[in-house]
Amino acid sequence: MSLDLQKFRNIGIAAHIDAGKTTVTERILFYTGVSHKIGEVHEGETVMDWMEQERERGITIQSAAISCSWKGYHVNIIDTPGHVDFTIEVGRSLRVLDGMVSVFCGVAGVQPQSETVWKQATRYNVPSIIFVNKMDRIGADYFKVVKDVNERLNGNALAMQVPIGSEENFKGIIDVLTGKMVMYTDEKGMDVKWVDMDPAYADQVAQLRDAIIARAADFDDNLAEAYLDGKEISIEQIKSGLRKGVLKREVFPAFCGSAFKNKGVQPMLDAVLDYLPSPLDIPAVVGENPDTGAEEIRKADPSAPFSGLAFKIMTDPFVGVLSFVRVYSGSLSSGSYVLNVTTGSKERVSRLVRMHSNKREEIPSVEAGDIVALVGLKDVKTGDTLSDIKHPILLENIDVPTPVISASVEPKSKGDYEKMITALRKMTQEDPSFKLFYNEETAQTVVAGMGELHLEIQIDRLKREHKVDVEQGKLQVAYKETIQKPVDIEGKYIKQSGGRGQYGHVWLKLDPLERGKGFEFENKVVGGTIPKEFIPAIQKGLEEAVTTGILGGYPVVDLKATVYDGSYHDVDSSEMAFKIAASMALKSGMKIANPTLLEPIMKVEVDTPDEYVGDVMGDLNSRRGRILGMEEKGKGQQVIRAEVPLNEMLGGYSTTLRSLSKGRASYSMEFETYAEVPAAV
Ligand code: GDP
């Protein structure tokens, strides 16, 4: 049986940490009837928070998909984490979901992380509706948050509701389109009553309604005509016009409520159905044929060849490894074989599992547009493409940011070494932004990740899930090296004493590149001074050489190497000789090109009450921080924005901030760029 794809929604719920994403998700699961108990976050009992330490920290880090249904629609909720250390998790969930509910705190409005998530949603073109939460809190202001989104995120938010009462008197919400007000009569918010609104709001509602119609008319010519002619316009017409705008990401309908007090969640769910895309509304997925490189397109059609993207690998204590897959086209049944196009291996899917909040449901098959967990795949990583064996397609992989921080790890008991490595390998498979290295110089195993908390949590998981107790070394910032001036340099690898010799000879030009450009290679050899067949070897030699710089053995970045001249020998020249010559040239060229170390610079935002602004800034300055600006945020509250080298933020900035501000300031931090380490440091 084919399910009606129009009635599918793959959504994510994104928010700044603490805005109430977990609570909102909980309530959705409750009202959709899957979860029978409302788990409160502060009691440390939630359905979405899978892992123990997430519960302890009260944050959701790992994304998983949970299925539920609402008014005959099948809704998959892909959990998107809020902590910035884990932006890769956010990025990968945005990749596979079709629409988003952006949760904002009614008091704090747009916060640093909501900006990050918003930017990513823009990049992945994800349409969104807005839910302004915590309307029961003192100072909550729905219309201010809508304005905030418009001004700070350039968001085109559109008020669809009017909250009635505020703070503890927040008692209902008017739906502008119908003019009805939703009232809740019971504690759990199960009993939803729609009543006529209080006439006192009639003018305000009429104005907002006009604004909505005018906006909807932008996307529907018939509607625009009817509107200009003063004709009656149906709610369905307005919604359908608006929906077009939402799908284009040109309008973001905003709703409000209090998840905690069980208000406003059902109307928001209705809006998910009304405005967010179905799998048919998103463009067909584009990839390439792995053999020919030709472009391949797959429509969300169950009868097309199967294709899907593995966006999350998790180890479930009961069923083993689960690979969460977004199915883009075709269908897949349990017991069948798929091609892992990324690795080239064929794998058998032993079971298909749909995850609900409180149970796993085994399903015989899955079709385009859906999200499912596969059991039985042996060698699959996050970002791998799976496809029909006869019709391979390689989808774009998920962007993995490079780690900025590392630490050595060593098992507490020597016998645990193999166990530790096996566990770490598995963890890197689950989370590609978590890396594992062996440092030959120090003979240490090193793990690297996106931030202090990221590493802390991974090492915690080693202990809890994999039962390996480890000793962690000092946190090290991931430095890089680059050059600051262009040079021309010669590299010669010539050995001609008896027998067949070696002859490799190159002239390179090294140029510094802008930050973030990485390494580039160009071939400008003319007239065959170096035969074509040796050029790839030169490139290879350079690519290997840039993995370890000359200052501290750190990777070399933001450098362009152009080979433009050299010479060869008919007999003695070989790929190996050119490879070595190129590598030698790069190393000696770097020495005279003003080499310098680069360090990761973090974007830091501190929210603090007025009275601690001086101390917080002073402390940031002493950490080599550059204050970018300060903004008033609510009464007596400031947001300080700064760029600070990661190295200076290591080892308990949160503790310092707490003691500076008597626990009243908070901060967020994310990677911004690499910059030169000042000579004085
Ligand atoms: P997340 O970090 O975005 O997942 O946020 P949580 O759902 O964990 O919520 C953070 C805190 O805010 C918790 O203590 C919640 O109980 C509380 N909270 C969530 N929603 C509301 C709400 O609507 N009103 C109030 N007053 N508190 C809320």
Side-chain angles (χ1 to χ4, degrees):
M1 179 199 67
S2 265
L3 297 165
D4 181 1
L5 267 185
Q6 303 272 18
K7 297 201 161 177
F8 265 63
R9 295 290 178 273
N10 293 311
I11 62 164
I13 298 180
H16 184 278
I17 190 162
D18 247 24
K21 186 196 63 201
T22 313
T23 314
V24 169
T25 311
E26 282 295 319
R27 296 314 193 261
I28 294 178
L29 295 175
F30 178 74
Y31 294 125
T32 56
V34 206
S35 166
H36 296 291
K37 173 175 178 295
I38 298 194
E40 298 298 345
V41 176
H42 54 248
E43 286 166 17
E45 258 190 44
T46 68
V47 184
M48 290 295 268
D49 286 16
W50 283 48
M51 299 187 306
E52 276 175 64
Q53 59 273 55
E54 283 181 47
R55 269 200 283 258
E56 283 172 11
R57 287 165 217 261
I59 55 175
T60 311
I61 298 150
Q62 303 287 346
S63 42
I66 294 195
S67 306
C68 60
S69 54
W70 183 246
K71 301 193 171 168
Y73 284 64
H74 177 79
V75 181
N76 290 315
I77 304 176
I78 296 105
D79 188 28
T80 48
H83 195 283
V84 171
D85 263 2
F86 304 95
T87 39
I88 179 175
E89 298 271 352
V90 182
R92 80 167 125 204
S93 14
L94 289 179
R95 172 77 186 277
V96 297
L97 51 80
D98 301 330
M100 196 158 83
V101 178
S102 302
V103 179
F104 292 94
C105 168
V107 182
V110 175
Q111 289 164 287
Q113 280 162 51
S114 23
E115 283 179 44
T116 311
V117 176
W118 194 269
K119 267 187 230 146
Q120 275 175 319
T122 310
R123 200 170 114 214
Y124 289 101
N125 238 332
V126 178
S128 176
I129 62 170
I130 289 163
F131 184 67
V132 180
N133 190 33
K134 300 202 185 182
M135 290 306 297
D136 59 305
R137 277 191 49 195
I138 295 180
D141 187 342
Y142 167 68
F143 290 106
K144 181 168 175 297
V145 177
V146 169
K147 198 166 148 240
D148 234 22
V149 172
N150 283 336
E151 284 171 3
R152 299 191 46 191
L153 301 178
N154 204 0
N156 279 319
L158 187 62
M160 302 296 290
Q161 295 178 328
V162 179
I164 303 301
S166 62
E167 299 165 20
E168 71 272 35
N169 294 320
F170 172 61
K171 55 175 196 274
I173 302 164
I174 297 173
D175 174 64
V176 171
L177 289 184
T178 57
K180 298 275 185 195
M181 170 166 129
V182 62
M183 298 276 292
Y184 291 91
T185 52
D186 66 328
E187 272 279 290
K188 299 240 145 141
M190 300 283 287
D191 183 27
V192 184
K193 274 207 175 58
W194 290 96
V195 298
D196 288 334
M197 69 173 169
D198 179 344
Y201 291 96
D203 282 350
Q204 187 186 8
V205 168
Q207 264 183 25
L208 290 169
R209 194 169 191 273
D210 265 356
I212 295 174
I213 296 175
R215 202 76 188 95
D218 288 343
F219 307 103
D220 182 336
D221 291 342
N222 293 335
L223 205 160
E225 229 166 84
Y227 179 60
L228 291 175
D229 294 350
K231 283 199 195 120
E232 187 63 33
I233 300 169
S234 74
I235 291 180
E236 287 324 306
Q237 244 179 316
I238 302 171
K239 283 186 179 172
S240 118
L242 215 50
R243 181 181 171 83
K244 289 183 193 143
V246 176
L247 298 185
K248 287 184 172 158
R249 280 184 54 82
E250 286 177 21
V251 57
F252 300 85
F255 301 83
C256 66
S258 162
F260 185 61
K261 294 282 166 68
N262 305 315
K263 292 187 171 72
V265 176
Q266 298 99 327
M268 179 267 280
L269 269 172
D270 292 344
V272 165
L273 312 186
D274 283 341
Y275 303 112
L276 291 182
S278 83
L280 293 176
D281 293 315
I282 60 160
V285 71
V286 181
E288 63 178 46
N289 182 311
D291 305 321
T292 63
E295 186 179 277
E296 296 262 348
I297 294 177
R298 296 280 187 277
K299 285 209 194 103
D301 174 1
S303 56
F306 166 75
S307 70
L309 184 79
F311 66 95
K312 175 81 191 166
I313 314 296
M314 288 183 86
T315 316
D316 180 287
F318 301 100
V319 280
V321 177
L322 287 175
S323 315
F324 284 86
V325 172
R326 160 82 197 230
V327 181
Y328 285 103
S329 63
S331 65
L332 183 68
S333 0
S334 61
S336 61
Y337 284 82
V338 291
L339 175 68
N340 180 336
V341 189
T342 313
T343 62
S345 61
K346 272 183 216 159
E347 298 238 30
R348 183 168 180 272
V349 179
S350 58
R351 284 189 283 159
L352 301 171
V353 186
R354 210 190 271 306
M355 307 298 279
H356 297 283
S357 61
N358 57 351
K359 63 169 198 272
R360 294 179 202 80
E361 177 197 2
E362 215 170 309
I363 52 174
S365 66
V366 63
E367 292 185 343
D370 210 344
I371 281 172
V372 71
L374 308 187
V375 182
L377 301 188
K378 300 218 163 41
D379 178 27
V380 60
K381 296 182 305 307
T382 295
D384 284 1
T385 305
L386 304 175
S387 87
D388 183 286
I389 292 172
K390 292 208 192 76
H391 301 93
I393 174 173
L394 185 63
L395 305 174
E396 194 190 322
N397 205 317
I398 293 169
D399 282 346
V400 184
T402 48
V404 291
I405 192 166
S406 68
S408 64
V409 284
E410 203 178 318
K412 283 203 174 131
S413 85
K414 286 272 171 290
D416 274 354
Y417 186 76
E418 282 305 318
K419 202 166 142 196
M420 177 184 84
I421 296 293
T422 312
L424 287 173
R425 283 226 177 92
K426 208 162 167 187
M427 287 163 67
T428 56
Q429 240 174 22
E430 289 178 14
D431 175 358
S433 66
F434 180 63
K435 302 264 190 221
L436 174 66
F437 304 100
Y438 182 72
N439 183 333
E440 293 196 9
E441 271 168 44
T442 58
Q444 281 173 323
T445 305
V446 177
V447 291
M450 298 312 299
E452 215 170 334
L453 183 62
H454 188 199
L455 288 190
E456 198 183 306
I457 285 178
Q458 295 293 50
I459 287 171
D460 215 31
R461 285 185 63 198
L462 258 184
K463 288 188 194 145
R464 285 166 194 270
E465 285 173 34
H466 302 282
K467 313 274 180 267
V468 191
D469 227 353
V470 297
E471 201 80 66
Q472 182 195 328
K474 204 167 152 272
L475 287 169
Q476 301 273 345
V477 160
Y479 290 105
K480 294 192 169 160
E481 299 182 16
T482 193
I483 58 168
Q484 299 180 91
K485 70 169 196 201
V487 293
D488 287 89
I489 186 82
E490 186 178 27
K492 269 188 189 161
Y493 183 67
I494 299 175
K495 288 214 159 69
Q496 288 173 314
S497 48
R500 195 186 152 188
Q502 297 284 358
Y503 192 104
H505 176 212
V506 298
W507 271 98
L508 300 182
K509 180 160 192 300
L510 305 182
D511 286 296
L513 293 179
E514 253 172 78
R515 287 294 89 82
K517 290 280 185 204
F519 170 71
E520 285 173 17
F521 170 76
E522 195 182 348
N523 170 26
K524 276 198 179 161
V525 172
V526 284
T529 49
I530 301 175
K532 263 203 204 73
E533 68 254 39
F534 296 127
I535 302 294
I538 292 172
Q539 180 169 0
K540 189 125 186 292
L542 293 171
E543 282 167 358
E544 277 176 26
V546 294
T547 59
T548 45
I550 54 155
L551 295 174
Y554 301 108
V556 180
V557 292
D558 305 340
L559 172 145
K560 179 174 175 181
T562 308
V563 56
Y564 62 90
D565 203 0
S567 62
Y568 71 102
H569 184 278
D570 277 338
V571 183
D572 292 346
S573 277
S574 67
E575 286 181 5
M576 185 51 78
F578 273 102
K579 199 173 141 190
I580 296 173
S583 162
M584 286 166 57
L586 185 105
K587 300 261 164 181
S588 41
M590 271 195 77
K591 285 188 195 142
I592 54 169
N594 276 357
T596 181
L597 275 188
L598 297 174
E599 62 179 345
I601 304 292
M602 310 302 277
K603 185 170 103 189
V604 177
E605 300 214 5
V606 184
D607 271 40
T608 173
D610 284 342
E611 60 259 50
Y612 307 114
V613 164
D615 289 344
V616 170
M617 284 205 184
D619 176 67
L620 288 173
N621 277 325
S622 74
R623 293 171 190 271
R624 294 197 279 129
R626 201 161 67 88
I627 309 285
L628 299 177
M630 187 169 80
E631 232 173 279
E632 184 155 3
K633 172 91 147 281
K635 218 166 162 263
Q637 196 75 15
Q638 302 286 340
V639 185
I640 303 168
R641 279 180 292 114
E643 285 179 352
V644 192
L646 175 60
N647 204 21
E648 306 292 328
M649 295 295 281
L650 292 185
Y653 177 66
S654 48
T655 317
T656 311
L657 189 63
R658 222 177 293 131
S659 66
L660 274 181
S661 68
K662 304 208 168 56
R664 291 175 56 207
S666 62
Y667 81 106
S668 74
M669 172 161 96
E670 72 174 303
F671 172 69
E672 171 89 359
T673 183
Y674 270 88
E676 269 165 53
V677 180
V681 182

